[in-house]
């Protein structure tokens, strides 16, 4: 990109600084971990970057730039990232091209993964967003399946939260076709102990 895609604003919304020019192909997800470091997914370059929040310096790069894949060192359009504050483990939803959650150590070493394409438990159709709570649970916005899936940090299935919008059958009858809502994002606030979910047609 020939412009800075990441901007820093003050509490009044005024521009303080920006960075990221020529660093991304198609920036997608942005996350700040407990230390303040930024993590950004790039669906064009198939990478995840850890960035210094003040300078934009690349502190870590996961994935092989420009090379999509399904290996332990490649992604295929990763969508989002979350970091476990207790272990430092990095959880990536991978994403548009793959249908999996892949986990790395705080040092960027591959640890484990789970998921496949489909609509069953533990399967995904565009895992689009990911977050962790303080109880050792992982929450994935399974976008095209219109649900949140809940797992342990080891990848064991715990629960499914279906979209209320996707379950609105009256709309389906009016449109005379199956109605499917997107569940595109989920975020957990530890201080408030609440989840914020984005869903819609």
């Amino acid at each position: 990109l020939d412009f800075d895609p990441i901007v820093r604003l003050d509490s009044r919304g005024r521009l303080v600084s920006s960075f990221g020019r020529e660093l991304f192909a198609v920036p997608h997800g942005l996350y700040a971990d407990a230390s303040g470091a930024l993590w950004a997914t790039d669906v064009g370059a198939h990478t995840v970057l850890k960035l210094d929040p003040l300078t934009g310096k690349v502190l870590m790069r996961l994935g092989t730039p420009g090379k999509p894949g399904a290996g332990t060192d490649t992604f295929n359009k990763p969508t989002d990232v979350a970091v476990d504050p207790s272990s430092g483990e990095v959880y990536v939803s991978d994403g548009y091209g793959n249908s999996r959650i892949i986990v790395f150590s705080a040092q960027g070493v591959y640890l484990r993964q789970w998921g496949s394409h489909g609509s069953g438990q533990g399967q995904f159709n565009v895992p689009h967003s990911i977050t962790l709570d303080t109880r050792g649970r992982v929450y994935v916005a399974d976008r095209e399946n219109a649900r949140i899936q809940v797992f342990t940090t080891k990848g064991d299935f715990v629960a499914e939260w279906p979209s209320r919008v996707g379950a609105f059958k009256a709309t389906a009858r009016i449109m005379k076709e199956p109605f499917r809502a997107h569940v595109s994002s989920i975020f957990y606030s530890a201080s408030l102990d609440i989840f914020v979910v984005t869903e819609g047609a």
Side-chain angles (χ1 to χ4, degrees), residues 5-6 19-20 23-24 27 29-33 35-41 48-61:
I6 298 178
F19 59 81
L23 190 60
F24 297 95
L30 185 65
Y31 170 81
D33 67 21
S35 73
L38 298 180
W39 295 79
T41 62
V48 175
L49 301 180
K50 181 182 181 180
L51 305 167
D52 182 288
L54 298 179
T55 66
K57 178 182 178 181
V58 177
L59 304 176
M60 183 188 300
R61 177 180 279 109

Side-chain angles (χ1 to χ4, degrees), residues 43-183:
V43 299
H46 310 287
T47 57
V48 175
L49 301 180
K50 181 182 181 180
L51 305 167
D52 182 288
L54 298 179
T55 66
K57 178 182 178 181
V58 177
L59 304 176
M60 183 188 300
R61 177 180 279 109
L62 300 174
T64 305
K67 294 185 178 180
T72 60
D73 61 350
T74 54
F75 303 114
N76 194 338
K77 300 181 179 180
T79 52
D80 199 15
V81 60
V83 178
D84 186 334
S86 61
S87 67
E89 291 182 349
V90 182
Y91 292 72
V92 179
S93 53
D94 180 34
Y96 284 119
N98 293 322
S99 297
R100 64 177 178 172
I101 304 302
I102 184 167
V103 187
F104 300 86
S105 72
Q107 294 73 38
V109 177
Y110 168 82
L111 296 176
R112 59 189 176 276
Q113 62 181 301
W114 70 86
S116 61
H117 183 78
S119 58
Q121 293 181 354
Q123 294 184 312
F124 304 105
N125 189 357
V126 186
H128 196 258
S129 181
I130 189 167
T131 194
L132 288 86
D133 67 11
T134 56
R135 303 172 183 87
R137 293 290 185 262
V138 181
Y139 301 79
V140 181
D142 188 7
R143 194 180 77 172
E144 300 301 311
N145 283 326
R147 63 185 178 179
I148 300 295
Q149 291 198 69
V150 187
F151 302 91
T152 69
T153 55
K154 301 303 180 184
D156 298 319
F157 178 83
V158 175
E160 174 184 308
W161 301 348
S163 168
R164 296 165 300 153
V165 177
F168 188 42
K169 304 300 183 182
T171 302
R173 288 195 299 270
I174 293 170
M175 296 175 67
K176 296 182 180 179
E177 61 183 23
F179 182 80
R180 179 66 68 182
H182 288 163
V183 176

